[in-house]
Amino acid sequence: REWLRVFLITLIGFPILVIVIDLTDKLDQYLSRGVSRGAVAMSYVFDLPEKMFMVLPVAVLFATVFTVGTLGRHSELTAAKASGISFHRLVRPLFLAACLAFVAGLLLGEIAPVATSHRLEMLGEKAIRSTTSRYNFVYRADRGWVYAIRSLELRTREMNDVLLEREGTGPAYPTIILAAQRAVYSDTLRTALPGARWTLLRGTIRYLAGSQPQAEAAFEFDSLRSRTLRERPVDLLAEPKSPDEMRYAELRRYIEALSRSGSNAKKLQVELALKIAIPFICLLVALFGAPLAISTPKSGAAWGVAASLATTFIVLLMFQLAKAVGSGGVLPPLLAAWLPNILVGVAAVYLLRKAPT
């Protein structure tokens, strides 16, 4: 109960403090846009998941240090050891709580992109598209495909002047360019190709496998059904998402598409790995914080605050450095994202071995 109390206070208190500072700085700016006070307040509710995701390891560290430190100052650790209960056995429930915090971090990592998108819409920083048509737009789809569409009508579920392109890397993965004058969508269409809901009319398809003329092939068609165009008309009306607004699976597919097209996706690969690495460090900071709290048993609450803040600063700095070295190619993106976890894990093992049990 003591651990949970400190954990919740930190997990909710730190984001609220940041929100209050941000609100006092930007309230006039939001109101000048015509955003109501109620919408501003609700937007910060949607901002909580992202802030809580980043604060989660800090909350675990504070809760562990304060809980174990209190046991040490009140000689309860000494009494437990005299009764035959080791230090490792005594703090085992805290490690279980850290495991639950890790699961909560994974859930927050999936909720935060959606909540952030809603917040931007409420504050007018992202346009809300509610029309039934769209004109002259480009849509980046999965699997490396890019669509250029002159017009889309949701009512008739038709598109005009459609160009589909997938950039290739060579003969084994050729560039494909598909152009059609018109495309029609049907939910009830049954074909030999599962998932082929769009029918492309009067167009051409080209395969470019290299720079030599014989590496090219082109075909004309009157009607073509393909699984390439999987999106529904309502999906194509949506605004393209930025990487910060994507969940784990969406971001992974986006990275795969960029990699296949030859683009540099190292920065996004680091961001993808951090979606797991940041929640996982909750387990390691619990292993690190428990022996750290009893390293100076006579110290008071000020020691706990100082040790927790210093550790938090170092861990956050390591994550920022990990993003830089991973994006720059100094280290592989996966290794760069998990390097802070490795260093904290080594320090945790060292302190656990030194802790008197």
Side-chain angles (χ1 to χ4, degrees), residues 35-288:
V35 182
S36 65
R37 295 179 183 272
V40 172
M42 186 58 64
S43 70
Y44 280 105
V45 174
F46 284 111
D47 193 33
L48 279 175
E50 181 182 0
K51 296 289 191 297
M52 293 170 68
F53 176 78
M54 298 302 301
V55 171
L56 196 65
V58 181
V60 172
L61 178 63
F62 267 73
T64 303
V65 169
F66 274 83
T67 302
V68 177
T70 301
L71 294 176
R73 287 194 302 274
H74 295 166
S75 301
E76 291 172 285
L77 292 178
T78 303
K81 294 174 187 177
S83 303
I85 301 175
S86 70
F87 172 73
H88 294 163
R89 173 62 186 87
L90 190 66
V91 297
R92 192 180 301 167
L94 304 186
F95 299 150
L96 177 60
C99 292
L100 297 178
F102 165 63
V103 176
L106 296 179
L107 295 176
L108 286 172
E110 291 295 288
I111 296 172
V114 179
T116 301
S117 179
H118 285 305
R119 177 177 184 269
L120 295 177
E121 291 176 355
M122 297 180 71
L123 294 177
E125 296 178 4
K126 178 181 177 182
I128 303 175
R129 186 174 294 275
S130 59
T131 61
T132 58
S133 60
R134 194 176 181 188
Y135 301 94
N136 298 321
F137 66 95
V138 176
Y139 185 94
R140 181 181 290 275
D142 294 335
R143 309 173 307 283
W145 285 93
V146 177
Y147 311 151
I149 302 169
R150 186 172 67 86
S151 65
L152 166 66
E153 294 291 340
L154 186 62
R155 182 179 57 84
T156 59
R157 299 200 286 189
E158 294 183 3
M159 296 188 296
N160 293 312
D161 291 340
V162 182
L163 179 67
L164 282 62
E165 182 176 352
R166 187 199 70 184
E167 185 176 354
T169 56
Y173 192 78
T175 297
I176 301 176
I177 302 175
L178 193 157
Q181 295 182 18
R182 187 163 160 261
V184 180
Y185 182 84
S186 175
D187 286 324
T188 59
L189 184 63
R190 292 186 178 182
T191 69
L193 292 174
R197 301 294 184 184
W198 285 96
T199 301
L200 304 177
L201 304 173
R202 295 185 301 279
T204 59
I205 180 170
R206 298 178 63 196
Y207 294 90
L208 308 178
S211 57
Q212 301 299 325
Q214 60 269 23
E216 299 183 9
F219 307 92
E220 293 184 354
F221 59 85
D222 292 324
S223 175
L224 183 144
R225 293 169 182 166
S226 173
R227 286 178 299 205
T228 296
L229 193 56
R230 298 180 179 179
E231 289 75 13
R232 301 171 300 169
V234 67
D235 297 329
L236 296 173
L237 280 175
E239 287 286 345
K241 294 182 179 179
S242 66
D244 293 339
E245 298 174 288
M246 296 183 187
R247 295 180 176 181
Y248 184 86
E250 292 175 309
L251 183 56
R252 183 179 60 186
R253 291 195 297 268
Y254 182 61
I255 291 172
E256 291 173 353
L258 289 179
S259 300
R260 284 197 297 265
S261 64
S263 301
N264 185 357
K266 290 181 179 179
K267 182 179 180 180
L268 296 180
Q269 288 172 344
V270 176
E271 295 289 345
L272 181 68
L274 287 177
K275 287 182 178 290
I276 305 296
I278 290 178
F280 187 82
I281 206 172
C282 291
L283 306 177
L284 301 177
V285 296
L287 296 175
F288 176 83

